[in-house]
Every structure is written in structure tokens, then in C-alpha cells.
Amino acid sequence: MRRWETLAGSVQGVGKRRNQDWYDCRGTGSGEDPLVLAVADGHGSAVHARSELGARFAVDRFLALADGFGRAAHDCHGPGRLTRLMTYARDDFPRALVHEWRQAALGHWDRHRPVVEEAAREPETAEKLLLYGTTLIGAVLTPWLFVAWQIGDGDLAVIEHDGALRRPLAPAEEDLGDETESLCGREAWRAMRMHWAPVFEEARAPRLVVLSTDGLSKSFASAGGYREFVTGLAGRLAEEGSAGVRTALPDWLAQASRYSGDDTTLAAAVRPAAPVPSGLPEPTGSPEQAGSPEQAGPPEQARPPEQAAGPGPADGRRTGGIDADTERETET
């Protein structure tokens, strides 16, 4: 099984005091070392004053639990094993994740209580958790299994083995305004959506898996713009490889953040193409099916200079503000 490559980055939203997003990627995608990716978007408003920490807690707890899940899936072809794993992923994993996140948030509250008057009322548990509110998207990839979970907004996009683009966790109805499900919700585990995709042969594994916070999709005027960005990204990866795209990614995310005004984070896993045996022609249509930059939008010379660097068309973006800080927030 060819090992996955990853690329990831995050930029702070225009005018934001700090970056409320967090992300991480670990592993190679082998049976002994599953690939785990996660992005989280802290809510950031006054009632969620510690949400940047909540986002980090969510990513850290997800990576630990998903790594254990991925390692346990090494014998998923045993009788009844796949069914039991799916039941755990659907029911028990969300419960365990929400529990671990709540424990991390409440533990932090106990260690860092705000200074209040002695007679002040002790906040209820729900009030404490509200401070740390965050969304989360996470995925685990092994040679035999691809599973993803999501609570709240943001996007999971998958370029399948045949070049088709899917958004398997997109809700039937988009959230209105800034309202979204959250890990701080009363029964958050019930609001978690799951994508379950066994991989029965390597050739049918996804080509590209992209997790992003809503700062990216909100930079486009329509869902079609986001889809074209992802297909353009797949095309650039097919043409240039991950090294060049990884170098350009911070500028693309900064451009998106200028249009959306929001923190913008992306974590992606790309499966390198199989080497072509010498003497055999390369398969035709692969880069085109994935979506090359030329096909994904207007010619480069037709775009303004600041829009020409992205992997897909930028003319459908929303208008926005000024340059964003491209450094990842590390404050604890």
C-alpha cells in the first residue's frame, strides 16, 4: 500500500485577536501507523472566550482516539469484525470523543478559574463548557478503511479513485448564519455525523481527502466555487506533486481568509499515483478528471494577479479585507 502524503496550514482571520482554529496530521496510513487528520474551529465569540483551547483539545483528543481505532482495524477482515468496527465508529467513538473533550475542558477550567467575588455563584457545567465551544472534523485512513466524523460546520471533500468529487458529510441543509452544532452542546455525540468507507482494494482508495474549516468555503460566493477549488487542488497535486503545493498553500489560505474574514485552516491527505511500468503508456484522463487549474477556471492572464496563485478559480470569491497573519497560534 502506497503511503499517504499530507499538507496542512492555517491563517488567522482579518481583524481577529488570535487564531481560533487548530489542526494536526499524524501517521502514514499503514496498518501499524494509521493516518489521522483533524481540524477544529473554535467559535470565537465572547461567550466562547476559551474556544481556541477547546479547538486544540478537540484535535488532540480526536487524534489519540482515532489512532487507537485505526490500529484496532488491522484485522477488520475477520468474520463480523467490520460490522463491529462500524457500530463502534457510529455509536461509541462519538461518545468517547465528547467525554474526553469535556474532561479536558473542565480540567482546564479547574486549573484556571477566573478571579471572581467570593460570594459569586459557581457556573453550571454547561456554562463552563460553553467557553470552550468548537466544531471538529476528523478522519482516519488505513489500507483497509477510511472513516471520518464531523460536528458543526466546515467541509470534508473527497476525490475518489475515479476522479469524482464527493462531500459525504455535508448536511442536508446548511446552517444559517453563524449557528452551528458544537462539542459544547448538551448531547453533542448525537450531532456527530460519520462517513464509513471500507477499502477493499488499493486501486479504489480515495486520491485526495481534504478537511477545512468554514473560513475556506465562505470565501466563495457559492458551493460551486469551493468544489472547483478542491478539483483544482487535485489537479495541481497530480501535475506538480505535494512539495510545490505545500509551498503555495499558505498564500492560498491567506487569500481565502482575506475574502471570508475568518480563520482559515486546511489539512489534506494525498495518495501518490502508482508508478507507471516502463514501456507502458501513462493512463489518459487522470489529471483532467481530477481537475487541472486550466480546466477549473479562467486562464491565468484573465485573473487579477492576487487571484492567479490559487489552485482553482477565484473570480467567485466574496470581497474581503486585508492581508492575514499566516503564523499558527501556539498560545496555551
Side-chain angles (χ1 to χ4, degrees), residues 121-160:
R121 177 183 65 86
E122 173 76 5
E124 299 288 340
T125 297
E127 295 175 277
K128 298 174 185 177
L129 294 174
L130 196 66
L131 292 169
Y132 299 87
T134 183
T135 66
L136 175 70
I137 309 173
V140 57
L141 295 123
T142 79
W144 311 279
L145 197 58
F146 165 37
V147 190
W149 297 262
Q150 179 173 352
I151 182 169
D153 53 27
D155 298 276
L156 170 71
V158 182
I159 300 292
E160 301 287 6

Side-chain angles (χ1 to χ4, degrees), residues 7 42 51 73 77 85 115 120 127 153 159 204 213 228-229 231 246:
L7 55 150
S51 62
H77 297 302
L85 283 169
V115 177
E127 295 175 277
D153 53 27
I159 300 292
R204 300 183 68 84
T213 59
E228 290 176 351
F229 174 91
T231 54
R246 190 177 290 110

Side-chain angles (χ1 to χ4, degrees), residues 10-217:
S10 182
V11 299
Q12 184 171 311
V14 175
K16 296 292 187 74
R17 187 168 60 92
R18 60 167 58 93
N19 192 341
Q20 304 287 339
D21 289 358
W22 196 253
Y23 69 93
D24 206 347
C25 309
R26 298 178 190 170
T28 61
S30 69
E32 300 76 23
D33 186 29
L35 173 60
V36 184
L37 310 93
V39 299
D41 181 1
H43 301 326
S45 63
V47 295
H48 307 290
R50 300 183 181 184
S51 62
E52 77 279 4
L53 295 171
R56 183 182 294 197
F57 297 155
V59 169
D60 290 348
R61 270 51 184 185
F62 177 85
L63 261 66
L65 287 170
D67 180 76
F69 174 84
R71 293 175 188 275
H74 72 281
D75 60 347
C76 64
H77 297 302
R81 179 67 173 166
L82 201 60
T83 300
R84 291 193 293 272
L85 283 169
M86 183 176 67
T87 300
Y88 175 83
R90 183 191 63 207
D91 301 330
D92 298 326
F93 186 93
R95 288 178 181 269
L97 177 60
V98 172
H99 172 77
E100 291 290 328
W101 179 84
R102 288 168 60 99
Q103 292 301 109
L106 294 174
H108 183 271
W109 166 270
D110 288 338
R111 296 189 302 273
H112 301 276
R113 290 172 174 268
V115 177
V116 296
E117 296 181 6
E118 186 174 337
R121 177 183 65 86
E122 173 76 5
E124 299 288 340
T125 297
E127 295 175 277
K128 298 174 185 177
L129 294 174
L130 196 66
L131 292 169
Y132 299 87
T134 183
T135 66
L136 175 70
I137 309 173
V140 57
L141 295 123
T142 79
W144 311 279
L145 197 58
F146 165 37
V147 190
W149 297 262
Q150 179 173 352
I151 182 169
D153 53 27
D155 298 276
L156 170 71
V158 182
I159 300 292
E160 301 287 6
H161 69 281
D162 59 358
L165 186 150
R166 297 180 60 207
R167 295 176 62 203
L169 293 179
E173 295 183 5
E174 298 292 341
D175 295 322
L176 297 177
D178 294 327
E179 294 296 323
T180 188
E181 298 287 354
S182 172
L183 279 173
C184 68
R186 183 175 179 181
E187 291 187 307
W189 66 273
R190 293 184 182 275
M192 195 166 292
R193 310 187 293 277
M194 181 193 74
H195 174 57
W196 175 264
V199 179
F200 295 106
E201 54 181 295
E202 181 182 4
R204 300 183 68 84
R207 294 182 187 177
L208 176 67
V209 177
V210 180
L211 289 65
S212 57
T213 59
D214 68 337
L216 179 58
S217 57

Side-chain angles (χ1 to χ4, degrees), residues 254-274:
Q255 175 184 331
S257 181
R258 287 196 296 270
Y259 282 96
S260 69
D262 200 0
D263 304 329
T264 303
T265 300
L266 178 147
V270 57
R271 187 166 62 95

